Amino acid sequence: MKKQLTDMSLEELWELFPIILTAHQACWSEWFEEEKQLLEEYLPADKVVRLSHIGSTAIEGIWAKPTVDMLLEVKEGTDFEEMKHCILTAGYLLMSAKEARMSFNKGYTLQGFAERVFHLHLRYEGDNDELYFRDYLRIHPEVAKVYEKLKLSLWKPYQHNRDGYTEAKEDFVRKYTEIGKKEMNINHITDKQVKDKE
């Protein structure tokens, strides 16, 4: 009998789901919009603050893992167990749960990645550093290219070690997140403002 994903060790999962980088695909933003619409059918609208496309697939022009990362911010005091139930009902699996943070995925199968893969990060409103990093790189494509170069250099050495890959990028991400926080008010910046600055 074949092992279920939930029975596999971290090493077995990393072998089945290696890090893969690919040139930016226009379809990623379309996948996000379609998945957002689907999720909105399951999520209580009165609890949701916003659902954002984050990560490298949200930054045009750079290579990325073909996984659409999403950040779901909910109002302070929202019951995470209720939100978890809604997200699981929408076809996601729970990846990790810590106090005031949950991560889910969709598109991981026993045969490997599905055509569309999603990561969904559930947080309270304002726990959104990823938005500052995303928008700083959108506004500064030269920095985005440096990030791309870093990721490409890490790809093969960490192909089967997702934690190592993430940790090796940490200093860069932290640095430009902090710079982004000083430069931008994430609650007021719009996609139009980003495009105007490009």
Side-chain angles (χ1 to χ4, degrees):
M1 188 175 172
K2 204 167 188 181
K3 266 189 181 180
Q4 295 302 303
L5 296 179
T6 50
D7 300 324
M8 291 184 181
S9 69
L10 208 50
E11 290 72 22
E12 288 173 318
L13 289 168
W14 285 343
E15 195 65 36
L16 185 57
F17 304 110
I19 288 170
I20 298 167
L21 296 180
T22 183
H24 187 87
Q25 306 291 316
C27 63
W28 290 335
S29 59
E30 295 168 12
W31 291 2
F32 165 72
E33 291 299 336
E34 290 171 12
E35 192 66 16
K36 181 181 178 182
Q37 286 181 16
L38 182 145
L39 280 163
E40 285 171 348
E41 295 176 16
Y42 292 90
L43 299 171
D46 61 326
K47 306 284 175 63
V48 174
V49 175
R50 63 182 156 188
L51 181 58
S52 306
H53 185 186
I54 59 170
S56 294
T57 59
I59 302 164
E60 286 186 22
I62 68 169
W63 282 52
K65 297 194 302 291
T67 299
V68 174
D69 280 287
M70 300 178 289
L71 177 64
L72 173 60
E73 292 177 81
V74 295
K75 293 176 181 174
E76 197 68 40
T78 297
D79 182 356
F80 265 37
E81 284 302 312
E82 176 192 351
M83 297 303 296
K84 179 176 88 172
H85 175 74
C86 295
I87 295 166
L88 295 178
T89 304
Y92 284 77
L93 296 173
L94 180 66
M95 291 167 55
S96 66
K98 298 176 185 174
E99 188 178 347
R101 284 188 166 198
M102 287 186 178
S103 294
F104 302 83
N105 68 35
K106 186 178 185 181
Y108 287 71
T109 78
L110 289 169
Q111 291 73 45
F113 294 114
E115 180 190 1
R116 298 187 184 193
V117 182
F118 300 94
H119 286 178
L120 178 63
H121 307 275
L122 174 63
R123 312 266 183 78
Y124 284 122
E125 181 178 10
D127 186 0
N128 55 20
D129 281 1
E130 293 87 348
L131 297 182
Y132 292 97
F133 183 72
R134 178 201 68 186
D135 286 348
Y136 188 85
L137 266 58
R138 281 177 168 179
I139 293 168
H140 300 277
E142 72 285 359
V143 178
K145 280 296 181 185
V146 176
Y147 184 50
E148 174 187 65
K149 187 175 179 182
L150 171 64
K151 291 196 304 171
L152 289 171
S153 74
L154 299 172
W155 176 10
K156 294 303 178 182
Y158 291 100
Q159 189 168 15
H160 298 288
N161 182 351
R162 283 176 173 261
D163 287 351
Y165 177 77
T166 301
E167 286 167 14
K169 298 185 301 172
E170 241 172 41
D171 288 345
F172 185 97
V173 172
R174 189 181 301 114
K175 174 182 176 179
Y176 287 102
T177 298
E178 291 308 312
I179 293 172
K181 283 182 172 182
K182 289 174 185 168
E183 285 193 10
M184 295 180 290
N185 179 343
I186 215 71
N187 290 315
H188 295 103
I189 198 162
T190 65
D191 283 340
K192 182 179 184 309
Q193 286 172 301
V194 171
K195 291 192 184 309
D196 289 346
K197 290 183 182 181
E198 287 175 350

